[in-house]
């Protein structure tokens, strides 16, 4: 049952409901997704092996139970790798990482190769969607666009675009309510919050979900395996 | 001998004509939070500044002059010899480096009914409020490259540079300078950093990561130890039970084991 639950949880995370995967892919720090993929397969393996174990116990067959224990140990190792990966890589996802990537990739005009182009498009679309839906601008605030040069600044002059148009308060048609107000920074006509909370919330849920749920399952699996080993050593031929 | 006196008198007259206490101010920070930016500065228009110098039946305009602070050592006059305003452009003065250039021309703002800043919250009124209240230096990014542009060009300023500004009251019919403010306090445009300077080092690892890693490693070690113990027990135990089976049948069937022992 735990196996199925783990599989389900990891499938949910891999499906990326918040659409943040392109940001992580472009930072080349998407290992929390790798951890979730491992979690899917481990969950399925746990489920299959538990059936094997139940059959072994019913038949009191030493060979079957030995096979079960060895395969469970392998699965345990994989799941341990997944938990540690998720926990470790969560620590890398700081605001500065997203800031640097946003400045370097958002609306980058001349990508170097296809991979670069793919990542740039992913980052641009994700940021546009983030800024529109969450009414935010930049990572820590719109001043990010003013404090640093960026790929965006290379193609858009500061007088007309102190920050991207998506940072302006939009009306129902998707046009800025007042462009001059947005450019000057009149309160109410531009988004003054940063988007970091909107990014770190789902990413944290993902990483901690994979890491801690996997940890809990492993603790339970540990007890089950210890019990199985005692039982195995107690079986007589 | 008379000349120094004339110069001093002219200077004093000039000081009296210029408004002593008022300089161009930057626009109210609670209205325009993004000010100054990299290449623009939004200045408050001169409300009620020139009213003493204006006659009711004449028409006036206001010119805004901008210059880099470094130019004040060379030349900061906005009039030529005959009290006519200087007709310099951005390109002629090298962006305000050699002497002041004319950045903007607009009507005298109304002192009797100034715009109310609280109206900026109203979507229908905000454009008017902004237009009447402030002037954005550096607003026009295209006029430098447009050969057909004939109006006063207000191109973007240089980043990380200090500028000073001055308002000048011009009589529209005669075209001469009637009054001028002092040069504003130095206003610096923003300076940028490059993204490479952003430090992406994550710092210390979180406590959760230590907990998970250490506990899981210990559990895995215990499991491996357990499996080794179980297997070694299983390997050693076959000697025990088979010795017992040899011993017990001796009591029930004494002849056969002896025959077995003999054959071995």
């Amino acid at each position: 049952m735990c196996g199925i639950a783990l599989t389900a949880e990891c499938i949910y995370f891999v499906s990326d409901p918040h659409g943040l995967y392109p940001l992580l892919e472009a930072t080349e720090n998407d290992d929390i997704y790798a951890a979730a993929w491992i979690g899917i397969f481990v969950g399925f393996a746990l489920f299959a092996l538990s059936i094997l174990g139940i059959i072994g116990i019913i038949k009191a067959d030493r060979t079957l139970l030995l096979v079960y224990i060895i395969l469970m140990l392998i699965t345990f190792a994989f799941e341990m790798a997944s938990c540690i990966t998720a926990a470790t890589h969560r620590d890398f996802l700081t605001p500065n990482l997203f800031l640097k990537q946003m400045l370097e990739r958002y609306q980058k005009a001349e990508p170097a190769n296809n991979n670069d182009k793919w990542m740039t498009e992913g980052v641009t679309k994700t940021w546009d969607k983030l800024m529109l839906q969450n009414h935010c601008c930049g990572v820590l605030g719109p001043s990010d666009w003013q404090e640093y040069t960026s790929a965006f600044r290379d193609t858009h002059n500061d007088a007309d675009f102190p920050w991207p148009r998506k940072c302006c308060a939009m009306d129902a048609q998707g046009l800025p309510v007042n462009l001059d107000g947005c450019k000057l920074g009149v309160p109410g006509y531009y988004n003054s919050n940063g988007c970091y909370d909107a990014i770190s919330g789902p990413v944290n849920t993902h990483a901690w979900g994979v890491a801690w749920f996997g940890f809990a399952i492993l603790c339970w699996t540990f007890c089950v395996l210890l019990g199985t080993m005692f039982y195995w050593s107690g079986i007589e031929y | 001998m008379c000349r120094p006196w004339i110069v001093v008198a002219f200077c004093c007259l000039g000081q009296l004509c210029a408004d002593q206490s008022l300089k161009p101010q930057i626009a109210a920070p609670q209205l325009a939070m993004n000010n100054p930016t990299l290449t623009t500065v939004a200045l408050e228009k001169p409300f009620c500044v020139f009213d003493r110098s204006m006659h009711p039946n004449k028409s006036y305009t206001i010119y805004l002059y901008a210059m880099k602070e470094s130019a004040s050592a060379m030349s900061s006059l906005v009039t030529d010899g005959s009290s006519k305003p200087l007709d310099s452009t951005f390109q002629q003065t090298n962006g305000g480096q050699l002497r002041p250039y004319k950045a903007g021309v607009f009507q005298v703002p109304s002192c009797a009914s100034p715009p109310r800043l609280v109206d900026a919250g109203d979507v229908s009124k905000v454009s008017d409020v902004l237009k009447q209240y402030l002037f954005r230096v550096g607003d026009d990014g295209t006029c430098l490259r447009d050969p057909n542009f004939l109006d006063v060009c207000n191109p973007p300023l240089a980043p990380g540079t200090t500028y000073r500004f001055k308002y000048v009251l011009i009589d529209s019919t005669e075209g001469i300078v009637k009054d001028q403010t002092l040069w504003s306090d130095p206003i610096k445009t923003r300076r940028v950093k490059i993204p490479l300077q952003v430090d992406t080092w994550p710092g210390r690892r979180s406590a959760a990561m230590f907990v998970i890693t250490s506990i899981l490693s210990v559990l895995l070690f215990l499991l491996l130890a357990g499996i080794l113990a179980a297997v070694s027990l299983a390997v050693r135990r076959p000697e025990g039970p088979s010795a017992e089976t040899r011993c017990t049948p001796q009591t029930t069937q004494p002849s056969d084991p002896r025959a077995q022992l003999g054959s071995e």
Side-chain angles (χ1 to χ4, degrees), chain A residues 58-83:
Chain A
I58 291 174
K59 284 196 180 167
D61 184 352
R62 285 191 79 133
T63 339
L64 210 55
L65 277 181
L66 189 61
V67 166
Y68 167 77
I69 288 174
I70 290 176
L71 287 179
M72 280 295 277
L73 274 178
I74 296 174
T75 313
F76 188 97
F78 270 106
E79 179 59 21
M80 188 172 126
S82 157
C83 288

Short mmCIF file of all heavy atoms in Angstrom, two decimals, chain A residues 58-83:
data_model
loop_
_atom_site.label_atom_id
_atom_site.label_comp_id
_atom_site.label_asym_id
_atom_site.label_seq_id
_atom_site.Cartn_x
_atom_site.Cartn_y
_atom_site.Cartn_z
N ILE A 58 3.51 -17.10 3.28
CA ILE A 58 2.43 -18.10 3.31
C ILE A 58 3.01 -19.49 3.06
O ILE A 58 2.67 -20.46 3.73
CB ILE A 58 1.36 -17.77 2.25
CG1 ILE A 58 0.61 -16.51 2.67
CG2 ILE A 58 0.41 -18.93 2.06
CD1 ILE A 58 -0.37 -16.01 1.65
N LYS A 59 3.94 -19.58 2.09
CA LYS A 59 4.52 -20.88 1.75
C LYS A 59 5.66 -21.25 2.69
O LYS A 59 6.14 -22.37 2.64
CB LYS A 59 5.08 -20.83 0.33
CG LYS A 59 4.05 -20.89 -0.75
CD LYS A 59 4.74 -21.22 -2.07
CE LYS A 59 3.72 -21.28 -3.19
NZ LYS A 59 4.42 -21.29 -4.47
N ALA A 60 6.14 -20.30 3.50
CA ALA A 60 7.32 -20.49 4.38
C ALA A 60 8.50 -21.02 3.58
O ALA A 60 9.21 -21.93 3.99
CB ALA A 60 6.96 -21.43 5.53
N ASP A 61 8.72 -20.41 2.43
CA ASP A 61 9.77 -20.87 1.52
C ASP A 61 11.02 -20.02 1.74
O ASP A 61 10.98 -18.81 1.56
CB ASP A 61 9.25 -20.73 0.09
CG ASP A 61 10.25 -21.30 -0.90
OD1 ASP A 61 11.37 -21.65 -0.51
OD2 ASP A 61 9.87 -21.38 -2.08
N ARG A 62 12.15 -20.64 2.11
CA ARG A 62 13.35 -19.87 2.43
C ARG A 62 13.93 -19.15 1.23
O ARG A 62 14.35 -18.01 1.32
CB ARG A 62 14.43 -20.79 2.99
CG ARG A 62 14.17 -21.24 4.41
CD ARG A 62 15.38 -21.92 4.97
NE ARG A 62 16.33 -20.91 5.38
CZ ARG A 62 16.96 -20.92 6.56
NH1 ARG A 62 16.72 -21.87 7.42
NH2 ARG A 62 17.82 -19.99 6.85
N THR A 63 13.94 -19.86 0.07
CA THR A 63 14.56 -19.24 -1.11
C THR A 63 13.78 -18.00 -1.52
O THR A 63 14.38 -16.96 -1.80
CB THR A 63 14.55 -20.21 -2.30
OG1 THR A 63 14.41 -21.52 -1.81
CG2 THR A 63 15.79 -20.06 -3.12
N LEU A 64 12.45 -18.16 -1.53
CA LEU A 64 11.62 -17.03 -1.95
C LEU A 64 11.83 -15.84 -1.02
O LEU A 64 11.97 -14.69 -1.47
CB LEU A 64 10.17 -17.47 -1.92
CG LEU A 64 9.21 -16.80 -2.91
CD1 LEU A 64 9.73 -16.95 -4.32
CD2 LEU A 64 7.84 -17.43 -2.80
N LEU A 65 11.87 -16.13 0.25
CA LEU A 65 12.03 -15.02 1.21
C LEU A 65 13.42 -14.39 1.09
O LEU A 65 13.58 -13.18 1.25
CB LEU A 65 11.82 -15.52 2.63
CG LEU A 65 10.35 -15.58 3.05
CD1 LEU A 65 10.24 -16.04 4.49
CD2 LEU A 65 9.68 -14.24 2.89
N LEU A 66 14.44 -15.23 0.80
CA LEU A 66 15.78 -14.66 0.62
C LEU A 66 15.80 -13.73 -0.59
O LEU A 66 16.39 -12.64 -0.55
CB LEU A 66 16.79 -15.80 0.45
CG LEU A 66 18.25 -15.36 0.47
CD1 LEU A 66 18.60 -14.71 1.80
CD2 LEU A 66 19.16 -16.54 0.19
N VAL A 67 15.17 -14.19 -1.67
CA VAL A 67 15.07 -13.33 -2.87
C VAL A 67 14.35 -12.03 -2.52
O VAL A 67 14.77 -10.93 -2.90
CB VAL A 67 14.31 -14.09 -3.99
CG1 VAL A 67 13.90 -13.13 -5.08
CG2 VAL A 67 15.18 -15.19 -4.54
N TYR A 68 13.26 -12.17 -1.76
CA TYR A 68 12.49 -10.98 -1.36
C TYR A 68 13.37 -10.02 -0.58
O TYR A 68 13.38 -8.81 -0.86
CB TYR A 68 11.29 -11.43 -0.51
CG TYR A 68 10.61 -10.31 0.22
CD1 TYR A 68 9.75 -9.43 -0.44
CD2 TYR A 68 10.81 -10.11 1.60
CE1 TYR A 68 9.13 -8.40 0.23
CE2 TYR A 68 10.18 -9.07 2.28
CZ TYR A 68 9.35 -8.23 1.58
OH TYR A 68 8.72 -7.22 2.26
N ILE A 69 14.13 -10.55 0.38
CA ILE A 69 14.95 -9.66 1.22
C ILE A 69 16.00 -8.96 0.39
O ILE A 69 16.23 -7.75 0.51
CB ILE A 69 15.59 -10.46 2.37
CG1 ILE A 69 14.52 -10.83 3.39
CG2 ILE A 69 16.68 -9.64 3.04
CD1 ILE A 69 15.03 -11.74 4.48
N ILE A 70 16.65 -9.71 -0.51
CA ILE A 70 17.72 -9.08 -1.29
C ILE A 70 17.15 -8.01 -2.21
O ILE A 70 17.70 -6.90 -2.33
CB ILE A 70 18.49 -10.16 -2.07
CG1 ILE A 70 19.29 -10.99 -1.08
CG2 ILE A 70 19.41 -9.52 -3.10
CD1 ILE A 70 20.03 -12.14 -1.71
N LEU A 71 16.04 -8.31 -2.87
CA LEU A 71 15.45 -7.31 -3.76
C LEU A 71 14.96 -6.09 -2.99
O LEU A 71 15.09 -4.95 -3.45
CB LEU A 71 14.30 -7.92 -4.57
CG LEU A 71 14.73 -8.88 -5.67
CD1 LEU A 71 13.51 -9.46 -6.38
CD2 LEU A 71 15.61 -8.18 -6.68
N MET A 72 14.44 -6.31 -1.81
CA MET A 72 13.99 -5.18 -0.99
C MET A 72 15.17 -4.32 -0.57
O MET A 72 15.04 -3.10 -0.48
CB MET A 72 13.27 -5.67 0.27
CG MET A 72 11.84 -6.07 0.05
SD MET A 72 10.81 -4.67 -0.44
CE MET A 72 10.43 -3.98 1.14
N LEU A 73 16.31 -4.97 -0.31
CA LEU A 73 17.49 -4.18 0.05
C LEU A 73 17.91 -3.27 -1.10
O LEU A 73 18.28 -2.10 -0.91
CB LEU A 73 18.66 -5.10 0.43
CG LEU A 73 18.68 -5.55 1.88
CD1 LEU A 73 19.84 -6.49 2.12
CD2 LEU A 73 18.80 -4.36 2.81
N ILE A 74 17.84 -3.82 -2.29
CA ILE A 74 18.19 -3.01 -3.47
C ILE A 74 17.21 -1.84 -3.61
O ILE A 74 17.60 -0.69 -3.86
CB ILE A 74 18.21 -3.88 -4.75
CG1 ILE A 74 19.32 -4.92 -4.64
CG2 ILE A 74 18.41 -3.02 -5.99
CD1 ILE A 74 19.34 -5.92 -5.78
N THR A 75 15.94 -2.15 -3.46
CA THR A 75 14.93 -1.08 -3.55
C THR A 75 15.13 -0.04 -2.46
O THR A 75 14.99 1.17 -2.70
CB THR A 75 13.51 -1.68 -3.41
OG1 THR A 75 13.42 -2.83 -4.25
CG2 THR A 75 12.47 -0.68 -3.80
N PHE A 76 15.46 -0.51 -1.27
CA PHE A 76 15.74 0.39 -0.15
C PHE A 76 16.86 1.35 -0.52
O PHE A 76 16.77 2.56 -0.28
CB PHE A 76 16.13 -0.46 1.07
CG PHE A 76 16.25 0.33 2.35
CD1 PHE A 76 15.18 0.38 3.24
CD2 PHE A 76 17.41 1.01 2.66
CE1 PHE A 76 15.29 1.08 4.43
CE2 PHE A 76 17.51 1.73 3.85
CZ PHE A 76 16.45 1.77 4.73
N ALA A 77 17.90 0.81 -1.13
CA ALA A 77 19.04 1.66 -1.50
C ALA A 77 18.62 2.73 -2.51
O ALA A 77 18.99 3.89 -2.41
CB ALA A 77 20.17 0.80 -2.06
N PHE A 78 17.82 2.32 -3.49
CA PHE A 78 17.37 3.29 -4.49
C PHE A 78 16.53 4.38 -3.86
O PHE A 78 16.69 5.57 -4.16
CB PHE A 78 16.54 2.57 -5.57
CG PHE A 78 17.36 2.08 -6.71
CD1 PHE A 78 17.63 0.73 -6.85
CD2 PHE A 78 17.87 2.96 -7.65
CE1 PHE A 78 18.40 0.28 -7.91
CE2 PHE A 78 18.64 2.51 -8.70
CZ PHE A 78 18.91 1.17 -8.83
N GLU A 79 15.62 3.97 -2.99
CA GLU A 79 14.74 4.97 -2.38
C GLU A 79 15.54 5.90 -1.49
O GLU A 79 15.27 7.11 -1.41
CB GLU A 79 13.62 4.28 -1.59
CG GLU A 79 12.67 5.22 -0.89
CD GLU A 79 11.94 6.18 -1.81
OE1 GLU A 79 11.85 5.90 -3.03
OE2 GLU A 79 11.51 7.24 -1.34
N MET A 80 16.56 5.34 -0.84
CA MET A 80 17.42 6.18 -0.01
C MET A 80 18.11 7.22 -0.88
O MET A 80 18.21 8.40 -0.51
CB MET A 80 18.45 5.27 0.67
CG MET A 80 19.28 5.96 1.68
SD MET A 80 20.25 4.75 2.55
CE MET A 80 21.85 5.43 2.34
N ALA A 81 18.59 6.78 -2.04
CA ALA A 81 19.22 7.73 -2.96
C ALA A 81 18.25 8.83 -3.36
O ALA A 81 18.59 10.01 -3.40
CB ALA A 81 19.72 6.98 -4.21
N SER A 82 17.02 8.44 -3.63
CA SER A 82 16.03 9.43 -4.04
C SER A 82 15.76 10.46 -2.96
O SER A 82 15.73 11.66 -3.22
CB SER A 82 14.74 8.69 -4.42
OG SER A 82 13.64 9.53 -4.33
N CYS A 83 15.62 10.00 -1.72
CA CYS A 83 15.35 10.94 -0.62
C CYS A 83 16.49 11.90 -0.43
O CYS A 83 16.30 13.11 -0.25
CB CYS A 83 15.16 10.19 0.69
SG CYS A 83 13.64 9.32 0.76
#
